[in-house]
Amino acid sequence: HKQSKARRTDVNRQDTSRPTMIGLGTLVRQLPRLALRIRPTAAAARLYSSHSALETAERTRRLLDAKDDAGLSYDDLASRLGVTNTYAAQLLLGQARLTPDTAARLRECLPGASPDDVDAMQSLHPMRGFDDEILKEPNVYRTYEAITHYGEAIKSIINEQCGDGIMSAIDFYCDVGTTTGKHGERRVVITFNGKFLPHIEQRSDDNTAKSPRD
């Protein structure tokens, strides 16, 4: 009996520790709840002293509830707002700032969103970033792994096609979609569309703000 109980305990422990593969939409839905369960460290609290991660997570939860009540997918919301689907998600997750024009459309799309939350989305400057815990989520980690695995090849091709520089993540568009493979399987398509930013030669004559030499 003790051995059987021990085996059940081992199985239960193994089951709870095994990562569960979930879809991108489910992940986006769970992010604020994950954030609410993560206690910030003292160092993080000092670093983000001008920003409340808890308030952002709670506002995100309310906005996601309003999205569910409206019966809209991210593609639906993005189409009505005139933005990409990932940017629509970023707005609700507190990772992008809402403009006045888009705010008016958002109120129409999500009538359940409170005026205070929509106002906060416009007035607050987002603290863009992520908690390291998110990399433990299989869907996120696999995307991260793909970027790092192909990173040197991507850099080499960018340099070959555009020159010495980088892809902007500010003048940038990201879109997530799906397609059907040749064997009928569903496939995920993620598009990054960023402005190319060339590295400059730091010519002294062009430096309009030289450091003092006391």
Side-chain angles (χ1 to χ4, degrees):
H1 176 71
K2 291 182 179 179
Q3 290 178 345
S4 298
K5 183 177 181 181
R7 283 196 296 270
R8 287 197 301 270
T9 302
D10 290 341
V11 170
N12 290 337
R13 183 181 300 115
Q14 182 179 6
D15 287 344
T16 57
S17 63
R18 183 184 296 118
T20 302
M21 296 301 291
I22 64 175
L24 181 64
T26 303
L27 168 64
V28 170
R29 183 79 179 96
Q30 291 182 357
L31 283 177
R33 289 160 177 77
L34 292 172
L36 286 171
R37 292 198 295 267
I38 298 172
R39 178 176 296 177
T41 63
R46 288 195 298 271
L47 181 61
Y48 297 108
S49 59
S50 63
H51 171 77
S52 173
L54 182 59
E55 288 181 6
T56 299
E58 290 174 341
R59 181 169 59 252
T60 293
R61 181 173 58 185
R62 293 190 295 269
L63 291 167
L64 292 177
D65 287 342
K67 171 181 169 291
D68 285 349
D69 291 342
L72 298 178
S73 68
Y74 279 111
D75 275 345
D76 294 334
L77 184 60
S79 177
R80 299 186 186 188
L81 296 181
V83 299
T84 66
N85 57 6
T86 52
Y87 196 81
Q90 290 284 76
L91 285 170
L92 300 190
L93 293 172
Q95 291 286 310
R97 193 178 187 191
L98 185 65
T99 64
D101 289 343
T102 305
R105 292 192 289 270
L106 182 66
R107 290 189 178 94
E108 295 177 359
C109 296
L110 305 182
S114 74
D116 288 344
D117 285 341
V118 176
D119 288 344
M121 295 170 72
Q122 298 176 79
S123 61
L124 299 177
H125 294 281
M127 186 65 72
R128 295 172 174 87
F130 66 95
D131 192 293
D132 291 343
E133 288 292 313
I134 196 63
L135 291 178
K136 296 179 182 179
E137 201 290 316
N139 204 330
V140 174
Y141 178 77
R142 185 60 63 182
T143 304
Y144 170 81
E145 183 183 44
I147 294 296
T148 53
H149 178 74
Y150 286 94
E152 186 174 358
I154 293 171
K155 168 190 158 46
S156 297
I157 294 171
I158 289 175
N159 292 158
E160 181 178 82
Q161 295 183 352
C162 300
D164 184 24
I166 63 172
M167 178 183 68
S168 173
I170 297 176
D171 190 338
F172 178 83
Y173 302 86
C174 179
D175 186 67
V176 179
T178 59
T179 189
T180 302
K182 62 184 295 185
H183 302 295
E185 76 280 12
R186 199 171 193 187
R187 305 183 69 85
V188 177
V189 180
I190 303 175
T191 301
F192 287 176
N193 177 359
K195 179 181 180 180
F196 177 71
L197 302 176
H199 290 291
I200 66 167
E201 181 181 31
Q202 298 186 26
R203 299 182 62 83
S204 59
D205 290 344
D206 296 332
N207 182 10
T208 59
K210 296 181 180 180
S211 300
R213 304 295 199 274
D214 291 343

